């Protein structure tokens, strides 16, 4: 299906164009089967899209009662002394989704899921990792790392994380028939979900991740946590290999912070250093990859039209209106 890049005017315009694409896809999917399965992201990038989608659903443009959704990631280690406290913490991705999207829908989705990161108690996790060094290995570089728990760990806690928290989430996606359309944003160093820069692509289904210092610093810079000490250090996240199994992947990016990763992801090599570069491999294998950018994020791509053309990327610069 290839790669299409839409360059829009600003955040509002980006949100409107992207929402139009999602709505069209949902309507099309509903013609072929009862349920549409959406993959959803958190962060500031998709918030405008969610407003438009909720409005369209509430106006009857599509039936939100025939949608299932799966989110990309959830923190482990939010402040709170039990699961309930962590789930309703205002920085949990569950809370974010209710506030920014699910709560706006008159007619709720059939099912909404987020990775079960809040179930893990960070202190217990750290202790079990420390006391059972043979049970797991790090995969990745100095930036972010995934913690790979081996098949038959001695620690019952780590065994439960592997089976129920990580593989359990992947099983739910599979049981739903896979994701029809996945919305993604772009994190620091071009990461997707919490597939941090440097984590290998191979075997990246649902992962337990030790967050990159850069990700933690961004979370503080964006005002999510007062200090790096308050920020969670781990997350449960879909890996690039799973994210890019969706039938369509829609990437949203706006602003200066995204320019380098977005440009490298399409004009550079496919490398785990820039996890979203995996999109090139996905498109080459027949995936439908769509970027919706604002003018700033798309600046360098627009300046390299020739190279994009050589790589069979369709560039659509949207007119002002
Ligand atoms: C975090 C999330 C990503 C998200 C990224 C960008 O790292 N785990 O899923 O894409 O932030 O957030 P924003 O859209 O606010 O720039």
């Amino acid at each position: 299906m290839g790669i299409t890049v839409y360059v829009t005017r600003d955040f509002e315009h980006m949100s409107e164009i992207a929402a139009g694409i999602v709505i069209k896809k949902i309507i099309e999917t509903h013609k072929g089967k009862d349920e549409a399965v959406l993959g959803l992201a958190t962060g500031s990038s998709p918030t405008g899209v969610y407003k438009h989608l909720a409005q369209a659903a509430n106006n009857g443009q599509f039936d939100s009662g025939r949608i299932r959704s799966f989110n990309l990631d959830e923190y482990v280690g939010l402040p709170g002394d039990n699961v309930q406290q962590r789930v309703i913490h205002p920085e949990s991705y569950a809370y974010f989704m209710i506030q920014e999207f699910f709560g706006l829908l008159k007619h709720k989705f059939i099912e909404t899921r987020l990775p079960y990161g809040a179930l893990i108690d960070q202190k217990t996790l750290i202790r079990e990792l420390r006391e059972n060094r043979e049970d797991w290995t790090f995969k990745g570089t100095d930036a972010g790392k995934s913690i790979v728990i081996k098949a038959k760990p001695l620690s019952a806690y780590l065994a439960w994380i592997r089976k129920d928290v990580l593989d359990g989430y992947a099983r739910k996606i599979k049981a739903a028939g896979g994701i029809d359309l996945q919305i993604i944003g772009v994190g620091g160093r071009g990461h997707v979900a919490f597939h941090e820069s440097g984590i290998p692509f191979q075997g990246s289904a649902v992962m337990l991740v030790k967050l990159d210092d850069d990700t933690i610093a961004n979370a503080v810079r964006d005002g999510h946590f007062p200090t790096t000490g308050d920020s969670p250090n781990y997350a449960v996240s879909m890996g690039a290999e799973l994210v890019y199994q969706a039938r369509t992947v829609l990437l949203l990016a706006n602003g200066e912070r995204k320019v380098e990763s977005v440009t490298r992801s399409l004009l550079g090599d496919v490398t785990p250093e820039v996890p979203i570069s995996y999109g090139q491999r996905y498109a080459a294998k027949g995936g439908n990859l769509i970027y919706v950018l604002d003018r700033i994020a798309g600046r360098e791509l627009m300046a390299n039209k020739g190279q994009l053309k050589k790589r069979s990327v369709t560039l659509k610069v949207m007119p002002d209106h």
Side-chain angles (χ1 to χ4, degrees), residues 103-172:
L104 311 180
L105 293 167
K106 272 197 238 154
H107 194 180
K108 306 298 177 209
F109 289 171
I110 312 165
E111 177 185 30
T112 55
R113 279 184 191 269
L114 282 93
Y116 320 133
L119 295 185
I120 301 175
D121 176 69
Q122 188 170 257
K123 274 197 194 128
T124 312
L125 172 68
I126 293 171
R127 192 193 62 226
E128 292 294 316
L129 289 172
R130 197 181 51 230
E131 291 176 0
N132 299 280
R133 202 54 201 83
E134 302 295 302
D135 278 352
W136 58 276
T137 49
F138 268 139
K139 243 189 184 181
T141 58
D142 279 346
K145 294 190 191 82
S146 91
I147 295 169
V148 183
I149 300 166
K150 73 178 188 190
K152 287 196 174 118
L154 288 175
S155 157
Y157 198 73
L158 296 179
W160 162 74
I161 291 178
R162 180 183 157 122
K163 180 169 169 277
D164 293 345
V165 178
L166 307 180
D167 298 351
Y169 195 67
R171 277 196 301 275
K172 291 289 179 192

Side-chain angles (χ1 to χ4, degrees), residues 4-320:
T4 309
V5 177
Y6 291 88
V7 180
T8 64
R9 197 175 54 242
D10 52 18
F11 179 81
E12 261 317 308
H13 194 204
M14 171 186 91
S15 305
E16 191 187 316
I17 297 292
I21 295 169
V22 179
I23 293 166
K24 202 168 150 220
K25 199 72 193 168
I26 294 171
I27 295 171
E28 226 174 79
T29 307
H30 278 160
K31 283 186 188 147
K33 54 180 183 150
D34 279 351
E35 297 174 5
V37 183
L38 294 182
L40 302 175
T42 49
S44 54
S45 309
T47 50
V49 174
Y50 294 155
K51 282 199 189 82
H52 284 290
L53 290 181
Q55 214 169 45
N58 294 346
N59 290 339
Q61 283 186 50
F62 63 87
D63 185 356
S64 45
R66 289 169 62 198
I67 293 178
R68 243 174 244 283
S69 73
F70 290 90
N71 264 74
L72 291 169
D73 45 10
E74 178 60 283
Y75 284 123
V76 171
L78 282 161
D81 49 15
N82 60 41
V83 176
Q84 177 73 357
Q85 288 298 95
R86 295 192 285 270
V87 171
I88 61 158
H89 187 280
E91 289 301 334
S92 82
Y93 286 169
Y95 187 103
F96 175 98
M97 288 309 298
I98 295 168
Q99 195 174 32
E100 298 292 335
F101 194 13
F102 304 148
L104 311 180
L105 293 167
K106 272 197 238 154
H107 194 180
K108 306 298 177 209
F109 289 171
I110 312 165
E111 177 185 30
T112 55
R113 279 184 191 269
L114 282 93
Y116 320 133
L119 295 185
I120 301 175
D121 176 69
Q122 188 170 257
K123 274 197 194 128
T124 312
L125 172 68
I126 293 171
R127 192 193 62 226
E128 292 294 316
L129 289 172
R130 197 181 51 230
E131 291 176 0
N132 299 280
R133 202 54 201 83
E134 302 295 302
D135 278 352
W136 58 276
T137 49
F138 268 139
K139 243 189 184 181
T141 58
D142 279 346
K145 294 190 191 82
S146 91
I147 295 169
V148 183
I149 300 166
K150 73 178 188 190
K152 287 196 174 118
L154 288 175
S155 157
Y157 198 73
L158 296 179
W160 162 74
I161 291 178
R162 180 183 157 122
K163 180 169 169 277
D164 293 345
V165 178
L166 307 180
D167 298 351
Y169 195 67
R171 277 196 301 275
K172 291 289 179 192
I173 296 174
K174 203 168 172 197
I179 291 171
D180 292 304
L181 182 140
Q182 174 71 58
I183 295 173
I184 59 175
V186 181
R189 309 191 222 254
H191 75 229
V192 58
F194 275 129
H195 187 130
E196 298 279 29
S197 171
I199 297 176
F201 290 131
Q202 214 191 353
S204 55
V206 181
M207 315 183 294
L208 175 63
V209 178
K210 171 84 180 65
L211 297 177
D212 187 344
D213 289 345
D214 180 69
T215 301
I216 296 174
N218 272 344
V220 173
R221 200 174 310 133
D222 289 350
H224 296 298
F225 301 98
T227 67
T228 51
D230 301 295
S231 168
N233 287 317
Y234 297 86
V236 173
S237 175
M238 283 166 65
E241 268 192 347
L242 182 58
V243 172
Y244 288 94
Q245 265 173 32
R247 288 175 268 279
T248 293
V249 175
L250 177 68
L251 179 146
L252 300 165
N254 65 299
E256 195 60 43
R257 204 160 81 186
K258 309 294 168 85
V259 176
E260 192 190 337
S261 326
V262 160
T263 309
R264 277 185 75 186
S265 73
L266 295 183
L267 296 180
D269 295 335
V270 177
T271 165
E273 239 184 84
V274 184
I276 55 167
S277 66
Y278 192 84
Q280 288 185 44
R281 193 171 295 165
Y282 163 74
K285 281 197 211 148
N288 182 25
L289 180 60
I290 303 167
Y291 278 29
V292 185
L293 313 173
D294 76 341
R295 263 189 208 148
I296 302 173
R299 187 181 66 220
E300 293 299 317
L301 292 176
M302 283 197 289
N304 287 283
K305 286 195 179 104
Q307 276 194 62
L308 284 182
K309 206 168 171 200
K310 257 193 230 147
R311 289 170 170 249
S312 307
V313 175
T314 309
L315 179 68
K316 293 191 178 177
V317 180
M318 305 305 284
D320 277 356

